[in-house]
């Protein structure tokens, strides 16, 4: 291989002769032809990991973490001593090693040396805490591949670290093998190779080096290295040290300086990295040097991109939670130092889930990007708009003069979105709800400011959405109270604190009780009876409404069947169903099972749903309602007239009953508009062959008007408040409250001829 041939020979002999003179095999630049390795390929069924720790608890944590996740295919082998680990390594088959720094003990990190020697081709990761960084740094210097903080190990980080280490080792091994087979300078490795003589003049460039430097071999040979191989420090632009001269001077392999940039002959720049080594003659004397380098511009760009992604949201490119936390902490430090204020705004897109469910996630993503752009257009360059995930945005107004400034910006954001009609073909309008907290009044740290802005956002949504709310201590008290109620709700079923009351539904024509609506009451052991308006919204938000609703349905059906078994005249029991219940998995199956278990005739059960529940996903709602109808279950729209203005859905859904909302019933004898609405709904129900029930009837005058309009059924305090099951049974047995006297009295008040005075 070592030849005295001319370095300018042509390539017909494969380059072996011409390279022999400049860069023959040297001790410093060669590795074993076939390195022995226990590395297992990444697509292996099981990856065997050796854990070395004296701590059984730590071993249990690692074993549990590696067993979680459907893609985690690791077999963990645990030993407690370094000597035992060496025995296992000698048996082979180990793909990676995890070693606890606590094993160093009094012997120091030097005790790991035998382990590192035994694992030259096996990735070895050390485990330690925050206080072990200096020791971990020494371990990496002596042969470890990486350092993991035990406090941050979970089912995601540890498998990812192991796979990265295995992949890195795989690439490293492949590179060494390729370099060995190619005798370092073969073009097939894809690296640039350049060599010089002792005087520092170019003796050889391979094809890749020609391309990267812009010099042909013929032009470059004999020229000084500094003329052909121009490198500068990428950060300072200072000419970088000559690695070949250093390799010759020190007679050893040396690496390029970090952030090294090669300036091509035409001025184009690229980042490079790799190493230089001395070339020896037959007598072992240094005869020149060779450098192998490659373009790392893409990998550096990837690193920069990955660093960017670690701090930014992939969908909108806005700062993510990590970067937001950093900027809020900076804002706190500056505000504290200069006695300034700043604001945190929590922003939610109203009814975003409906957009996603109706039009798909692609449209939802487009909407989120649009909202991000609108929010950015409303703030200064010094402010931060961040996306935490889903439809949750956080805006940091880095400096404000007064809290009112944050409200002005919030209103500007809402107006900007409201003015952007026809955002996409499917979406005609979009609105946002905003919660605001201000430093230092609403919190002195990031967590408190975030929590209070979130509480304010909750109240903004609770207030009807499309508005902004500033945090107040009263909100905090209510939030604490709501959390207390939620805690109590989680135990209420088990403690049997729920009970049902029943309000009669009465025939307007005869006064006879024809049905009942089941109404939930919570008998709290400390607070006493709590009405649904206080705890149902909390139950819905926490999804506790699902098990609670199932209990209500079963108890109402059981009670109705018990009354019917006693011969009491009850034709129908009505149960309210929330949106969360209706959309919950297994809702239909639960209704079927409840009817079967209680023995109640499906025609005796009426499920009441609001218009908004049905319209949230009209297609899915229609399918589910048709299945319920096929079972024989009756269906009613509760609070009719208060939801969607379009009535086209009434022809889509198999509705049996319309329940006029009590707000209209309350006004119908004192307001002509209310009377018109009630009359219209009654007539519409007749034309659609649907029963109409008036809710909230409290006076004889209201009853008389309903009778005049031939409304079929009514319920309200005029007949009875909701009562216990026993009291309702008594009413059924006595025929109350639908006495003929009360109906006659109502007729008399209307003048006996159907004319009702409006006043």
């Amino acid at each position: 291989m070592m030849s005295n041939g001319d370095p300018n020979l042509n390539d017909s002999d494969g380059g072996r002769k011409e390279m022999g003179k400049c860069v023959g095999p040297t001790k410093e630049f060669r590795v074993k032809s076939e390195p022995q390795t226990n590395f297992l390929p990444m697509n292996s069924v099981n990856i065997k990991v050796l854990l070395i720790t004296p701590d059984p608890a730590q071993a249990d944590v690692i074993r549990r973490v590696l067993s979680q996740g459907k893609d985690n295919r690791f077999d963990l082998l645990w030993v407690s001593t370094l000597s035992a680990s060496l025995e296992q390594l000698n048996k082979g088959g180990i793909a990676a090693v995890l070693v606890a720094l606590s094993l160093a003990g009094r012997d120091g990190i030097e005790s790991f040396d035998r382990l590192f020697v035994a694992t030259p081709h096996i990735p070895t990761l050390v485990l330690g805490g925050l206080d072990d960084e200096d020791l971990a740094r020494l371990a990496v210097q002596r042969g470890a591949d990486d350092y993991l903080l035990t406090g941050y190990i979970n089912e995601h980080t540890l498998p990812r670290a192991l796979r990265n280490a295995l992949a890195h080792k795989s690439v490293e091994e492949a590179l060494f093998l390729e370099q060995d087979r190619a005798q370092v300078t073969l073009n097939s490795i894809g690296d640039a190779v350049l060599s010089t003589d002792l005087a520092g003049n170019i003796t050889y460039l391979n094809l890749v080096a020609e391309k990267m430097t812009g010099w042909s071999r013929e032009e470059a040979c004999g020229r000084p290295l500094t003329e052909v191989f121009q490198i500068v420090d990428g950060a300072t632009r200072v000419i970088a040290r000559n690695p070949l001269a250093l390799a010759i001077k020190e007679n050893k392999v040396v690496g390029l300086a970090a952030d090294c940039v090669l300036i091509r002959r035409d001025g184009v720049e690229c980042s490079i990295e790799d190493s230089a080594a001395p070339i020896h003659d037959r007598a072992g004397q240094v005869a020149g040097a060779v450098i192998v380098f490659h373009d790392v511009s893409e990998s550096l760009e990837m690193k920069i991109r990955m660093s960017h992604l670690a701090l930014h949201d992939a969908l909108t490119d806005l700062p993510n939670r990590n970067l937001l936390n950093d900027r809020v902490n900076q804002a706190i430090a500056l505000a504290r130092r200069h006695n300034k204020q700043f604001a945190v705004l929590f922003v939610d897109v109203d009814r975003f889930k409906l957009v996603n469910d109706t039009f798909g996630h692609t449209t939802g993503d487009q909407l989120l990007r649009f909202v991000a752009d609108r929010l950015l257009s409303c703030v200064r360059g010094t402010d931060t708009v961040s996306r935490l995930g889903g439809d949750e945005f956080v805006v940091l107004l880095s400096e404000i003069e007064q809290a009112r400034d944050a409200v002005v910006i919030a209103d500007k954001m809402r107006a900007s979105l409201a003015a952007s009609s026809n955002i996409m073909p499917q979406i005609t309008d979009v609105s946002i709800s905003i919660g605001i907290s201000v430093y230092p009044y609403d919190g002195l740290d990031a967590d408190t400011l975030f929590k209070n802005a979130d509480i304010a956002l909750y109240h903004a949504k609770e207030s009807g959405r499309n508005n902004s709310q500033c945090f107040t201590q009263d909100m905090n008290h209510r939030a604490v109270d709501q959390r207390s109620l939620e805690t109590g709700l989680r135990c209420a079923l088990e403690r049997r604190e729920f009970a049902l009351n029943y309000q009669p539904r009465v025939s307007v024509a005869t006064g006879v009780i024809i049905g009942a609506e089941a109404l939930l009451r919570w008998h709290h052991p400390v607070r006493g009876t709590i009405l649904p308006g206080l705890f149902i919204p909390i139950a819905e938000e926490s999804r506790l409404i699902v098990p609670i609703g199932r209990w209500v349905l079963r108890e109402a059906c059981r009670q109705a069947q018990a009354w019917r078994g006693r011969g009491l005249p009850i034709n129908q029991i009505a149960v309210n169903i929330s949106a969360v219940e209706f959309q919950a998995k297994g809702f239909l199956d639960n209704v079927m099972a409840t009817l079967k278990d209680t023995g109640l005739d499906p025609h005796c059960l009426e499920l009441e749903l609001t218009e908004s529940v049905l319209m949230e996903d009209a297609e899915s709602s229609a399918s589910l309602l048709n299945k319920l109808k096929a079972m024989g279950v009756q269906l009613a729209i509760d609070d009719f007239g208060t939801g969607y203005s379009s009535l086209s859905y009434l022809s889509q859904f198999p509705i049996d009953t319309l329940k006029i909302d009590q707000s209209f019933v309350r006004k119908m004898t004192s307001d002509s508009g209310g009377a018109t609405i009630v009359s219209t709904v009654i007539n519409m129900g007749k034309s659609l062959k649907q029963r109409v029930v008036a809710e909230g009837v409290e006076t004889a005058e209201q009853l008389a008007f309903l009778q005049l309009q031939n409304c079929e059924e009514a319920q309200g305090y005029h007949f009875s408040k909701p009562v216990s099951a026993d009291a309702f049974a008594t009413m059924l047995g006595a025929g109350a409250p639908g006495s003929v006297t009360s109906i006659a009295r109502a007729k008399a008040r209307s003048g006996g001829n159907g004319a009702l005075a409006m006043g």
Side-chain angles (χ1 to χ4, degrees), residues 566-619:
R566 291 166 53 187
L568 296 174
I570 179 75
N571 295 331
Q572 201 164 72
I573 186 76
V575 178
N576 288 283
I577 303 297
S578 74
V580 178
E581 290 178 83
F582 189 66
Q583 295 162 2
K585 183 179 180 181
F587 172 74
L588 183 66
D589 292 339
N590 179 66
V591 173
M592 294 175 64
T594 299
L595 291 171
K596 180 180 179 181
D597 294 345
T598 60
L600 183 67
D601 186 334
H603 290 87
C604 295
L605 173 63
E606 183 173 82
L607 301 181
E608 296 186 3
L609 304 105
T610 63
E611 298 169 81
S612 58
V613 170
L614 298 180
M615 293 305 296
E616 189 160 322
D617 185 350
E619 185 176 344

Side-chain angles (χ1 to χ4, degrees), residues 484-555:
S484 174
L485 285 175
E486 181 178 339
T487 300
L489 277 174
R490 296 185 182 279
C491 305
L493 268 179
E494 182 181 344
R495 295 174 180 173
R496 299 183 179 180
E497 295 171 2
F498 289 123
L500 292 184
N501 281 0
Y502 301 88
Q503 187 173 39
R505 272 172 44 178
V506 177
S507 168
V508 172
T510 65
V512 174
I513 298 175
I514 57 177
E517 180 177 356
L519 300 169
L520 182 61
R521 298 292 183 266
W522 180 12
H523 300 301
H524 194 279
V526 176
R527 302 189 184 203
T529 300
I530 302 177
L531 296 178
L534 291 176
F535 68 85
I536 289 298
I538 299 172
E540 289 180 333
E541 186 175 353
S542 63
R543 297 193 66 83
L544 291 171
I545 193 65
V546 175
I548 293 173
R550 288 176 178 172
W551 178 86
V552 170
L553 180 65
R554 183 169 292 270
E555 177 63 16

Side-chain angles (χ1 to χ4, degrees), residues 678-692:
V678 172
S679 298
T680 300
V681 174
I682 292 173
N683 291 328
M684 182 179 64
K686 291 176 183 177
S687 64
L688 294 174
K689 296 182 171 52
Q690 293 168 342
R691 293 193 305 276
V692 178

Side-chain angles (χ1 to χ4, degrees), residues 135 147 157 172 259 281 299 423 480 489 516 518 575 624 690 698:
L135 192 60
Y147 168 46
T157 59
E172 187 179 81
D259 196 20
D281 59 20
S299 62
I423 299 166
V480 171
L489 277 174
V575 178
L624 186 53
Q690 293 168 342
E698 297 180 351

Side-chain angles (χ1 to χ4, degrees), residues 142-448:
R142 302 180 80 92
D145 292 276
D146 205 351
Y147 168 46
L148 299 177
L149 290 172
T150 53
Y152 293 90
I153 287 177
N154 58 44
E155 67 270 26
H156 304 295
T157 59
L158 181 55
R160 182 169 63 243
L162 285 169
R163 289 192 174 94
N164 287 343
L166 288 165
H168 179 77
K169 219 53 165 176
S170 174
V171 172
E172 187 179 81
E173 290 296 325
L175 178 59
F176 277 120
L177 289 171
E178 188 68 16
Q179 288 176 328
D180 185 64
R181 295 189 185 101
Q183 299 294 317
V184 179
T185 58
L186 296 178
N187 292 328
S188 60
I189 65 171
D191 284 352
V193 180
L194 180 153
S195 64
T196 69
D197 57 20
L198 277 173
N201 296 319
I202 300 294
T203 59
Y204 174 78
L205 285 82
N206 74 345
L207 295 176
V208 180
E210 289 181 348
K211 180 178 180 180
M212 291 184 66
T213 62
W215 288 82
S216 69
R217 184 168 52 194
E218 291 75 14
E219 291 178 298
C221 281
R223 292 180 182 271
L225 173 69
T226 53
E227 184 179 352
V228 176
F229 189 65
Q230 298 184 51
I231 53 176
V232 297
D233 185 289
T236 65
R237 308 301 296 179
V238 174
I239 296 175
R241 68 177 184 176
N242 186 333
L244 294 177
L246 187 62
I248 292 172
K249 179 181 177 181
E250 299 187 0
N251 193 19
K252 67 177 184 180
V253 176
V254 296
L256 290 178
D259 196 20
C260 196
V261 173
L262 171 65
I263 303 177
R264 203 167 67 184
R265 191 177 185 180
D266 60 4
V268 175
E269 299 182 0
C270 67
S271 298
I272 61 171
E273 66 178 26
D274 226 315
S275 58
I279 300 173
H280 298 94
D281 59 20
R282 291 182 183 275
Q285 299 300 311
V286 176
V290 61
I291 181 170
V292 180
F293 57 97
H294 57 271
D295 187 346
V296 294
S297 301
E298 288 187 6
S299 62
L300 286 178
E301 289 177 5
M302 180 60 71
K303 289 179 182 177
I304 294 171
R305 176 62 178 162
M306 294 303 293
S307 298
H308 181 82
L309 287 176
L311 297 174
H312 292 78
D313 170 53
L315 177 65
T316 62
D317 204 37
L318 295 176
N320 63 12
R321 188 184 301 272
N322 293 330
L323 185 52
L324 173 68
N325 285 337
D326 183 64
R327 291 187 179 176
V328 170
N329 287 327
Q330 289 182 33
I332 290 173
L334 288 172
R336 185 182 295 128
R337 186 178 306 129
H338 301 294
N339 195 27
K340 296 288 186 178
Q341 304 176 41
F342 68 87
V344 173
L345 281 62
F346 267 41
V347 181
D348 256 12
V349 181
D350 295 334
R351 297 183 178 87
F352 177 72
K353 182 179 182 298
L354 178 60
V355 173
N356 254 354
D357 293 344
T358 305
F359 304 114
H361 290 281
T362 299
T363 299
D365 289 347
Q366 291 175 344
L367 176 58
L368 291 175
R369 283 191 286 266
F370 175 82
V371 172
D373 290 341
R374 292 287 86 205
L375 296 180
L376 283 170
S377 70
C378 297
V379 300
R380 302 162 298 186
T382 55
D383 299 325
T384 298
V385 178
S386 170
R387 178 175 176 246
L388 302 189
D391 63 329
E392 299 177 9
F393 295 85
V394 177
V395 178
L396 167 63
L397 302 179
S398 56
E399 187 176 324
I400 57 175
E401 294 298 325
Q402 55 184 349
R404 177 63 189 167
D405 295 342
V407 177
V408 171
I409 296 298
D411 291 343
K412 181 180 178 182
M413 291 174 176
R414 294 192 300 106
S416 176
L417 286 163
S420 305
S421 59
N422 298 317
I423 299 166
M424 284 172 277
Q426 309 95 320
I427 303 174
T428 57
D429 64 272
V430 63
S431 64
I432 54 176
S433 298
I434 303 175
I436 304 169
S437 65
V438 177
Y439 176 92
Y441 310 110
D442 302 327
L444 298 176
D445 58 78
D447 287 344
T448 304

